[in-house]
């Protein structure tokens, strides 16, 4: 079995080890490369967001409420709760006549440590519009409003909003309803369990799709990577560096998905232990290995701190780093 | 190979998996039970603290500066930066004529989230005396003062303070100097790499030692578990529940060590990926398995939330839990 591992070093010795499962597939779902268990069945978490956002565009809600690329990128993203993110989520809610208390997502410390610290220092009460999923939830409320569906319970399995998302998940992954499991995500909305291979298939397709809704979402993510994550975060930095050559989306618990449109390939990976510090170096290792093997020029400059994050003492001295080791097996 | 695993469940599906290596040994270092790789060579981190604190007592510094059981427990602990911890660290510094700026440990957000939030809300500037290692460092400064050694550089390899700690580490683990590797811990002090089996051996011995210094430290930890960690943290809660039946100390990056004095056994475990949420359920599973196998009554009441921590949504609804699976192999 081919393995991809993230090693955490301290003073030159490997201290902790993280196994990574990877599926790289084409638009037919054929495995092109793999590591660990490419069939790993797990929760897609926030890497499903582009597909959860598709009905918003397809059904005309985005146009109806005037959502442009920035709003669509926020709907596909896991944002850092920076002022620009909070303001945009609030304006999406206003546009569809909803209020913050209708958001089902709960409050949590912002994913950006700087934003979290600042909020605490300022004595701010963190409310649902600070959720990293604010864009997804505002989009779901807009979809419900547009169709005249009840907004109450929009996040739960069985609600038409979630049925629409499920339809898109099944369509893009070519999975039968029985093959996908529904659960509850951290933000209380439905999440989906399926194989890495199925996740990767949807990204391969999403990367080159000519369907207008998919194209709008993809172009929105590429044009506004700052709305997909936030200042200094991997999704934002990778898409900024790639200048359209990749579309990437992280998920909680060690999930990362990507599309490589120039190759017609999709990537899905899971850090088996769920460590979110390890999924960015794992993804960057996979992207570089695939690009090299296929002769694709993919410079991705300025991402060293995401590829090999430095570990420091409490005095700020470097004491080690995370590093990816191991090679994908290509078919 | 026998395996012990911590599984993280979400909506009934295993989302992430954490492998654990375990060594359970007697005072001779003979393996009594194991899982994964009991020979795993890794950094001992803060689970070495009781042995780093031994010279403080042995060399007469603790008596000279009037350190009682509370101070000794703090020196063996990784505290939560609660007011009682900060006050005690400050009084230890005063007792040996040192000031806070002499502490080599850097500031970091308190291990207690509640304390960390409160500090930020209050606009407090976190300083080195807030370090979870404040007791260890204050003890090291006291040792240097007592011997008339330079306080500058006390945390670095080669300084007599660190040489004394190393001597105790080698003596209690029966390791040769060549078998132990020195590195830099998060708090900038020397840390030690050795096998889990060697770590467990020292705890087996520490648990029943009649050497006065070891006994004083052990009894201090058992009498003042609130100084070894803090309110609601595993070390504190486990030793409180065990009423002297176990001595336990956590280390960063998935390390946990314990002594079972009634059985003359020591335990050392490492969550291979370093996830600190998983080491308490792993330790409790090991303690229960060993006690059951050896017919030791070890009730440990009220620890369910450490044995199977519940995962919640941002709305506070339970959505899954961590659980230990797998059995130790007994010899």
């Amino acid at each position: 079995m081919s393995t991809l591992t993230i090693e955490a070093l301290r003073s030159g010795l490997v201290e902790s080890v993280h196994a990574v499962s990877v599926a790289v597939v084409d638009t037919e779902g054929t495995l092109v490369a793999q590591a660990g268990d490419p069939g790993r069945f797990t929760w897609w978490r926030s890497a499903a967001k582009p597909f959860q956002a598709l009905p918003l565009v397809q059904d005309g809600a985005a146009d109806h409420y005037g959502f442009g690329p920035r709003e669509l990128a926020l709907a596909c993203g896991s944002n850092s709760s920076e002022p620009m993110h909070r303001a945009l989520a609030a304006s999406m809610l206003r546009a569809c006549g909803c209020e913050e208390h209708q958001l089902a997502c709960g409050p949590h410390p912002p994913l950006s440590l700087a934003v979290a610290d600042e909020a605490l220092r300022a004595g701010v009460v963190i409310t649902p519009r600070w959720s990293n999923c604010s864009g997804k939830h505002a989009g779901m409320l807009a979809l419900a409003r547009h169709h005249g569906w009840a907004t109450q319970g929009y996040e739960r399995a069985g609600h038409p909003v979630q049925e629409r998302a499920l339809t898109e998940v099944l369509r893009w992954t070519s999975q039968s309803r029985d093959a996908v499991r529904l659960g509850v995500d951290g933000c209380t909305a439905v999440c989906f369990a399926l194989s890495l291979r199925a996740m990767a298939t949807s990204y391969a397709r999403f990367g080159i799709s000519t369907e207008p809704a998919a194209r709008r979402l993809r172009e929105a993510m590429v044009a506004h990577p700052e709305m997909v994550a936030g200042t200094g975060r991997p999704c934002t930095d990778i898409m900024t560096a790639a200048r359209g050559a990749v579309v990437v989306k992280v998920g909680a618990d060690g999930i990362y998905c990507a599309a490589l449109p120039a190759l017609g390939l999709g990537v899905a990976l899971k850090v088996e232990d769920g460590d979110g510090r390890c999924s960015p170096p794992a993804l960057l290792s996979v992207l570089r290995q695939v690009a090299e093997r296929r002769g694709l020029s993919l410079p991705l400059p300025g991402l060293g701190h995401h590829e090999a994050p430095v570990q420091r003492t409490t005095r700020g001295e470097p004491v080690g780093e995370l590093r990816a080791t191991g090679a994908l097996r290509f078919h």
Side-chain angles (χ1 to χ4, degrees), chain A residues 10-11 44 60 63 96 100 102 130 142-143 155 166 169 181 195 198 202 220 224 232 237 257 281 289:
Chain A
R10 171 175 296 275
S11 300
W44 206 357
D63 283 338
C96 64
E100 187 176 10
Q102 294 175 272
W130 290 65
L143 181 66
E155 78 283 10
L166 175 59
V169 165
R181 188 159 162 172
S195 70
S202 70
H224 295 284
D237 288 355
C257 289
Q289 289 187 50

Side-chain angles (χ1 to χ4, degrees), chain A residues 9 17 20 36 50 77 138 165 168 175 182 192 197 213 224 234 240 246 267 270 278 289 302 307 315 323:
Chain A
L9 285 96
V17 183
V20 187
E168 293 307 316
Q175 299 293 294
L182 305 189
F192 309 91
R197 193 167 163 172
H224 295 284
T240 301
V246 297
V267 175
K270 163 84 178 171
C278 296
Q289 289 187 50
E307 294 190 75
R315 288 286 184 186
R323 71 176 178 200

Side-chain angles (χ1 to χ4, degrees), chain A residues 217-241:
Chain A
L217 290 176
R218 180 180 73 226
E219 289 173 0
M221 291 173 74
V222 167
H224 295 284
E226 77 282 4
M227 290 299 167
V228 178
T231 306
R233 289 199 27 238
C235 284
T236 300
D237 288 355
I238 294 170
M239 285 196 284
T240 301

Side-chain angles (χ1 to χ4, degrees), chain A residues 1 3-6 17-21 36 270-274 278:
Chain A
M1 195 173 82
T3 58
L4 180 70
T5 302
I6 304 297
V17 183
H18 308 262
V20 187
S21 285
K270 163 84 178 171
V271 181
E272 288 294 338
D273 55 71
C278 296

Side-chain angles (χ1 to χ4, degrees), chain A residues 54 57-58 209-218:
Chain A
L54 271 166
V57 185
Q58 282 174 329
S209 176
T210 55
E211 281 189 25
R215 221 175 123 175
R216 275 177 67 184
L217 290 176
R218 180 180 73 226

